[in-house]
Amino acid sequence: MMHVLACLQGTKALETVLCRTIIQLQTSEDLQLVLQANELVAENFYNASDNLLLDAVNFNSYRLRSAGQTLGLHMGPSRSHATILAVMNGPGQQHTAAAERAVGVVNVTLMQASDNISAVASCKPGTPFAMITNMAVTPAMRRRGIAHQLMQAAIRTSILQLDYSPAFALLLAYKYYEPAIRLYAQWGFEATSWEDPLWKRDAEKGRLGRQRRIMMVKQLSGTALAASPWQAEN
């Protein structure tokens, strides 16, 4: 499924950015796009070290492990996981996986609230929710509204295209990364009282360096589809 995201402005040519939503792998094109998304996630979320040789090995391991997990989610009979890509086509090119280049990605997965999540999200244990993860836009394409459109597609997909409609959407964000926090807040996500267990564990052991995350929640309903801060700003 495709949604037009934006036409990049400039005097050179009109390169169109589209949003593609993939839930079940039905074609070889779907497979190519999911693998592109996995590459983008690995490039943006792998934590590099100072050891270049070790990093080369670990990065490939991370990339392959992530690809296996993602493909497994897409190959089952359920519609519980979606990969959403922002893809760019050059001028005059057909919209095919071979011609498209992924410039942004976000994942949505249906889950059920655990006791810990229900306590901070003010819901009953077992309540279905949409977990939004791995949102990333390539550095050269940032500040063009692509992250807003990915979020819009993620919310729409959560409500309309998965096995059942979740009660709320949930995501984790780095506490001091203000651009992301601002984006999520514009879309109605609110911070909860959740404490990052990994950061807390390291802090208790005197370890420094791990970034602290916060959990943000947005209640979902039909009105969530109409609320688009990106459209309002543009």
Side-chain angles (χ1 to χ4, degrees):
M1 184 176 182
M2 292 192 299
H3 301 285
V4 176
L5 294 185
C7 288
L8 303 185
Q9 298 177 351
T11 57
K12 291 184 178 179
L14 298 180
E15 289 185 312
T16 305
V17 177
L18 305 173
C19 183
R20 284 183 174 264
T21 300
I22 300 171
I23 298 175
Q24 293 173 315
L25 294 180
Q26 298 178 334
T27 67
S28 59
E29 184 177 272
D30 291 343
L31 176 61
Q32 291 179 51
L33 289 171
V34 168
L35 291 177
Q36 279 196 53
N38 184 73
E39 291 295 317
L40 191 55
V41 169
E43 290 168 3
N44 279 271
F45 292 102
Y46 173 74
N47 292 319
S49 68
D50 296 330
N51 189 321
L52 296 180
L53 180 59
L54 184 62
D55 265 345
V57 174
N58 288 342
F59 176 77
N60 281 327
S61 176
Y62 176 91
R63 183 169 56 88
L64 292 173
R65 184 171 65 253
S66 176
Q69 293 171 347
T70 301
L71 291 175
L73 290 170
H74 282 291
M75 294 175 69
S78 69
R79 297 174 62 85
S80 61
H81 179 81
T83 293
I84 302 169
L85 298 96
V87 293
M88 177 186 289
N89 269 68
Q93 292 182 322
Q94 295 182 345
H95 296 295
T96 63
E100 290 172 339
R101 174 169 59 92
V103 296
V105 64
V106 66
N107 294 120
V108 181
T109 306
L110 279 179
M111 303 182 73
Q112 293 183 327
S114 64
D115 290 341
N116 289 337
I117 289 177
S118 65
V120 296
S122 300
C123 67
K124 295 180 179 179
T127 298
F129 71 93
M131 185 75 186
I132 297 177
T133 58
N134 297 334
M135 176 174 279
V137 176
T138 56
M141 298 299 296
R142 291 172 185 169
R143 302 185 67 83
R144 301 182 190 228
I146 293 175
H148 276 291
Q149 296 292 13
L150 284 168
M151 181 60 75
Q152 185 178 51
I155 291 172
R156 179 174 292 274
T157 297
S158 299
I159 295 174
L160 298 179
Q161 293 184 252
L162 301 182
D163 281 333
Y164 44 83
S165 295
F168 60 92
L170 181 151
L171 55 81
L172 300 179
Y174 289 121
K175 184 174 183 178
Y176 299 109
Y177 187 52
E178 293 184 3
I181 299 295
R182 186 164 56 247
L183 169 76
Y184 303 146
Q186 288 174 338
W187 278 93
F189 284 85
E190 298 180 352
T192 68
S193 60
W194 179 81
E195 292 187 350
D196 186 347
L198 298 180
W199 177 87
K200 186 176 180 180
R201 181 194 64 191
D202 282 1
E204 288 174 347
K205 294 182 178 180
R207 298 173 182 169
L208 302 177
R210 184 185 294 275
Q211 294 190 65
R212 188 174 186 175
R213 301 169 298 170
I214 62 173
M215 179 182 292
M216 304 183 74
V217 169
K218 173 185 174 68
Q219 300 301 316
L220 295 181
S221 65
T223 58
L225 294 176
S228 172
W230 181 82
Q231 290 177 339
E233 292 174 0
N234 291 273

